[in-house]
Amino acid sequence: NKSFEMKLMANGDVGVSVCVLVGVVLLCEASRRLLKKSALFAETALEVYAVEFVSTLQLCCCTHELKLLAEVGRVEPRLSLTLTYLACVVHGLTFGGALGNACGALERACSKRIAGRCALQRVACQFAAACVARAVVPQVWGLGLSDLHLRHKLLGFRCISQIRATLPHTAAVEFAGAFCVHTVISRTQAVEEKYRVHLISVVVTTLVYAGGSVSGAVFNPSLAFSTQFPCSGNSFLEYSLVYWAGPLLGKQADTTATPHLTFSCQVTRLTPLLKLSSCLATLKRCDVDQPLTSRFKIDPLVTSHMGVSNQM
């Protein structure tokens, strides 16, 4: 009876957390639509930065909640990975052209697709959103919507560093993860978006499963600043080495090591959803940044970590 009651409580915690995630996505999506219709933001540079801020805020808030489920709620690894995958899909479909990752912004600046000032402004929006998420999410937890939130409140909203190996080892994991994700993103530009979002989500989820137990598998500087830097156990410099230098170098390696490679993929009829017939994805660098309404929405999926590391 006691184990049954505990299971019911855990299911209730998961249900509340899923409701919180849905609420965050709906609020951010409503904000994005209002921004695009606003006379102040519509069809201006301000729209790009505003959408960048809102989308990164969505990413950070959702990741905080999923990280809490894994670390404090101790949900099953399969459930954590499932939520990771679903969150990646949702972010990819709703970001509306935002990057949500400093690596993507700096890569565009280096390839002359956007101006350096524009890239820095996007990064500033991302880190501003990360700071807002760090301040807002504990307030939501403080409402005590679930037993999980109440327990975390009693613990003072404390979290422990997810660096569980030597600094070179964890930095290498972040480097390799960022390299893999960005490589898949850049080599699948020709794949139809409705298939591409699931392909990238599968890659991200696999990397979280593989590297989560070592570093947390973040692969995103601004997301790490929101979810990892407040945790005790390591210094700011150590976090910077792992969660900033690692992903940035991984993205740079993808940009410089294989700029002219052609990636060809043929995916047979595994399921109706993953039906990709004879796709040839050739890396194509744009000379200028595309309009907000015509960009692929999948780039934000470099924003991976969804908090399953404690379960691996």
Side-chain angles (χ1 to χ4, degrees):
N1 290 335
K2 187 176 180 180
S3 61
F4 179 72
E5 291 177 359
M6 292 180 64
K7 188 173 182 179
L8 285 178
M9 290 176 59
N11 290 337
D13 291 338
V14 172
V16 171
S17 291
V18 170
C19 290
V20 170
L21 296 175
V22 172
V24 168
V25 172
L26 291 178
L27 285 174
C28 291
E29 181 63 18
S31 299
R32 279 186 290 263
R33 296 192 179 192
L34 287 174
L35 288 170
K36 291 177 181 179
K37 293 180 180 179
S38 171
L40 177 63
F41 294 99
E43 303 301 330
T44 67
L46 291 178
E47 179 190 352
V48 175
Y49 302 128
V51 171
E52 190 74 50
F53 176 87
V54 172
S55 298
T56 306
L57 180 64
Q58 172 183 313
L59 168 70
C60 293
C61 290
C62 290
T63 304
H64 273 290
E65 187 66 27
L66 291 171
K67 185 169 178 281
L68 177 66
L69 274 176
E71 292 186 355
V72 182
R74 300 289 181 179
V75 297
E76 295 181 357
R78 285 181 296 181
L79 178 58
S80 292
L81 290 171
T82 300
L83 292 173
T84 297
Y85 170 79
L86 292 175
C88 287
V89 172
V90 170
H91 293 325
L93 293 176
T94 61
F95 265 34
L99 301 176
N101 193 324
C103 298
L106 296 178
E107 184 274 332
R108 277 169 169 73
C110 292
S111 60
K112 308 298 183 182
R113 295 165 63 184
I114 59 175
R117 184 178 65 178
C118 178
L120 291 177
Q121 289 171 336
R122 284 198 176 198
V123 172
C125 290
Q126 293 165 10
F127 276 89
C131 292
V132 171
R134 282 173 58 170
V136 170
V137 171
Q139 301 302 317
V140 176
W141 290 336
L143 297 176
L145 299 177
S146 68
D147 290 334
L148 175 62
H149 290 173
L150 287 174
R151 292 201 305 272
H152 196 44
K153 181 181 179 180
L154 292 175
L155 294 173
F157 306 120
R158 292 197 306 267
C159 64
I160 301 174
S161 172
Q162 295 193 346
I163 296 178
R164 300 186 182 88
T166 63
L167 290 181
H169 187 184
T170 50
V173 169
E174 291 293 307
F175 170 92
F179 176 82
C180 291
V181 174
H182 286 286
T183 297
V184 172
I185 289 174
S186 62
R187 305 299 187 270
T188 57
Q189 296 288 340
V191 179
E192 224 178 317
E193 182 182 339
K194 62 181 179 180
Y195 301 128
R196 186 172 179 242
V197 64
H198 293 282
L199 174 61
I200 297 176
S201 297
V202 168
V203 172
V204 168
T205 305
T206 302
L207 290 170
V208 170
Y209 173 77
S213 60
V214 178
S215 67
V218 186
F219 319 140
N220 184 327
S222 55
L223 178 61
F225 184 73
S226 184
T227 61
Q228 305 298 329
F229 279 58
C231 299
S232 60
N234 291 92
S235 67
F236 182 89
L237 182 61
E238 290 171 333
Y239 283 132
S240 300
L241 174 64
V242 173
Y243 295 117
W244 287 357
L248 289 171
L249 291 175
K251 175 57 186 174
Q252 187 61 29
D254 166 56
T255 303
T256 59
T258 56
H260 304 296
L261 290 182
T262 298
F263 176 76
S264 176
C265 66
Q266 286 189 344
V267 182
T268 55
R269 190 177 302 171
L270 297 177
T271 65
L273 181 63
L274 296 178
K275 181 183 175 185
L276 304 177
S277 57
S278 186
C279 67
L280 180 64
T282 304
L283 176 62
K284 183 178 180 181
R285 302 295 184 185
C286 299
D287 294 328
V288 295
D289 205 22
Q290 299 175 357
L292 183 65
T293 56
S294 64
R295 294 192 197 106
F296 276 102
K297 303 178 193 175
I298 309 303
D299 284 2
L301 288 181
V302 297
T303 58
S304 54
H305 174 279
M306 296 298 161
V308 302
S309 59
N310 280 341
Q311 303 298 319
M312 303 304 147

